[in-house]
Amino acid sequence: MEQTVERKKRIFSGMQPSGALTLGNYLGALKNWVALQNDYECMYSVMNMHAITVRQDPAELRKRSMEVLMQYIACGIDPEQSILFFQSHVAAHAELSWILSCNTQMGELSRMTQFKDKSKKHADNINAGLFTYPVLMAADILLYQTDLVPVGNDQLQHIELTRDVAERFNFHYGETFTIPEPYIGKAGARVMSLQTPENKMSKSDPNPNGYIGLLDPEEVIIKKFKRAVTDSDAEIRPGADKPGITNLLTIYAAVTGKTVDEAAKEFAGQGYGTFKQAVGEAVAAELAPVRQRFEELSKDKAYVESIYEKGAEIASSIAARTMRKVYKKVGFIAR
């Protein structure tokens, strides 16, 4: 009797090329993405269409988009296992976004917390894309009949909207979209700013000492950790009253595979200077192969081009199957 091979569940995720990828991106998401490749069919996109809700320098956007793709690969995402592509290379993202816009309520979009946050930061450019980009995000996911979406808590609201829109479409037009689930796997380390440890480490931090870039050289990494904010109490322990030290312990634990408590015991009785030097060296050692691989990829543009062209071809083929179904359901004439 012939056995049917069960299809691997599909995962979709991506990052915007809106700045240098950081240690926070690496420990919070990228390391997990790498681990998911063996068990799932993974699609990882550079979300350059989302990036233009904020005004971008075109040459800089092209450069950063390439760099993000190369950093995906340098961090261990295997182009033979995962589908890697630029969002803008699959026109169906924009096509489906329009159709889903017509099935999304204004009230739903006005409740999105990220719209409110970004409107405050970019008060001179509150454009329609900023308001409707959760619909594009829904299209990104639904286009590929995605089963699971790796997300942090800050994105759960967008997954809920995606599910609501998909369920509404399926109700009115018949079964069309897979209803995606948020993938809450092994928690990635929550990495905070080295200068304001109450805030998440961010590539948009105006203070470059607040974040570690994935491509920062060893001496820069160690210098930034030496400057990291701690507190007047000289004890190395985690605690709500010690956000700076807790953050450094979390980072050290994440790159060494230890628990935070084990890390705290290792440095018990030692000074902050010794501790910060050790954290810097551990992070530099973790990121050295990433930087080396990135430099190799930078010298082989033809190889990188072949990866994103092949990725876009596969992604477009999957997207086309969804769009044929969607066009038929809404009453568009087949082309």
Side-chain angles (χ1 to χ4, degrees):
M1 186 176 169
E2 191 180 329
Q3 279 191 319
T4 54
V5 180
E6 192 178 339
R7 176 180 82 81
K8 281 185 178 181
K9 287 193 170 179
R10 183 174 290 147
I11 274 180
F12 177 90
S13 197
M15 291 182 187
Q16 290 189 42
S18 50
L21 294 190
T22 70
L23 180 67
N25 299 125
Y26 176 72
L27 295 177
L30 282 165
K31 273 191 94 167
N32 283 346
W33 289 7
V34 173
L36 293 170
Q37 295 179 113
N38 296 325
D39 299 319
Y40 299 94
E41 182 189 338
C42 296
M43 302 183 74
Y44 297 126
S45 182
V46 177
M47 313 305 281
N48 54 345
M49 291 170 72
H50 283 291
I52 63 169
T53 58
V54 175
R55 287 203 180 89
Q56 303 283 347
D57 173 84
E60 191 62 27
L61 179 60
R62 276 190 288 273
K63 176 175 174 283
R64 284 200 309 263
S65 297
M66 287 292 288
E67 287 175 350
V68 168
L69 187 82
M70 290 190 288
Q71 284 172 80
Y72 284 178
I73 302 164
C75 286
I77 294 173
D78 182 357
E80 296 302 315
Q81 280 187 290
S82 299
I83 300 164
L84 294 169
F85 63 103
F86 294 115
Q87 182 188 22
S88 61
H89 282 186
V90 182
H93 284 263
E95 282 185 74
L96 183 57
S97 181
W98 170 251
I99 293 169
L100 295 181
S101 291
C102 300
N103 290 274
T104 306
Q105 304 303 306
M106 294 282 283
E108 290 174 313
L109 294 175
S110 64
R111 287 193 291 274
M112 295 288 113
T113 53
Q114 286 203 7
F115 170 69
K116 294 171 188 171
D117 294 344
K118 285 198 173 184
S119 296
K120 284 177 193 166
K121 283 183 190 170
H122 305 281
D124 61 331
N125 183 26
I126 304 172
N127 56 71
L130 196 60
F131 187 68
T132 61
Y133 88 101
V135 184
L136 177 57
M137 195 178 284
D140 300 332
I141 295 164
L142 299 177
L143 191 56
Y144 301 109
Q145 304 296 346
T146 303
D147 298 292
L148 299 162
V149 186
V151 285
N153 288 331
D154 58 338
Q155 293 289 350
L156 279 173
Q157 192 184 31
H158 289 135
I159 300 300
E160 282 308 311
L161 177 69
T162 300
R163 288 170 56 84
D164 289 346
V165 171
E167 284 168 355
R168 183 178 301 134
F169 191 98
N170 287 354
F171 176 78
H172 287 295
Y173 296 105
E175 286 302 310
T176 308
F177 296 117
T178 300
I179 307 298
E181 299 280 348
Y183 177 84
I184 313 291
K186 183 185 170 206
R190 185 168 167 76
V191 179
M192 313 307 280
S193 165
L194 299 182
Q195 292 298 311
T196 51
E198 303 77 21
N199 301 329
K200 203 169 157 186
M201 184 178 282
S202 169
K203 52 194 172 186
S204 57
D205 191 327
N207 184 349
N209 288 314
Y211 64 88
I212 301 294
L214 280 192
L215 305 176
D216 281 351
E218 180 177 358
E219 63 275 14
V220 172
I221 292 171
I222 291 171
K223 192 182 288 183
K224 286 183 180 181
F225 275 106
K226 281 181 177 175
R227 291 175 177 167
V229 167
T230 49
D231 52 48
S232 54
D233 171 4
E235 196 181 354
I236 297 171
R237 62 169 174 83
D241 58 330
K242 295 173 76 70
I245 291 297
T246 302
N247 186 38
L248 295 181
L249 284 168
T250 301
I251 291 168
Y252 185 76
V255 298
T256 59
K258 297 177 180 180
T259 66
V260 170
D261 287 340
E262 284 168 349
K265 279 179 191 163
E266 184 182 336
F267 293 100
Q270 297 189 44
Y272 282 170
T274 305
F275 171 53
K276 291 201 277 189
Q277 176 79 22
V279 179
E281 287 173 358
V283 169
E286 174 82 8
L287 295 183
V290 175
R291 196 169 65 254
Q292 184 183 343
R293 180 69 178 126
F294 179 86
E295 284 166 8
E296 290 167 5
L297 291 164
S298 300
K299 293 169 187 161
D300 196 349
K301 290 286 167 47
Y303 171 67
V304 176
E305 194 173 303
S306 72
I307 287 168
Y308 67 70
E309 285 180 351
K310 180 185 170 190
E313 195 179 315
I314 297 169
S316 295
S317 173
I318 298 167
R321 288 199 291 275
T322 297
M323 291 311 295
R324 278 195 293 273
K325 194 189 290 188
V326 169
Y327 269 40
K328 186 177 179 183
K329 293 287 176 90
V330 299
F332 291 169
I333 292 165
R335 57 186 177 194

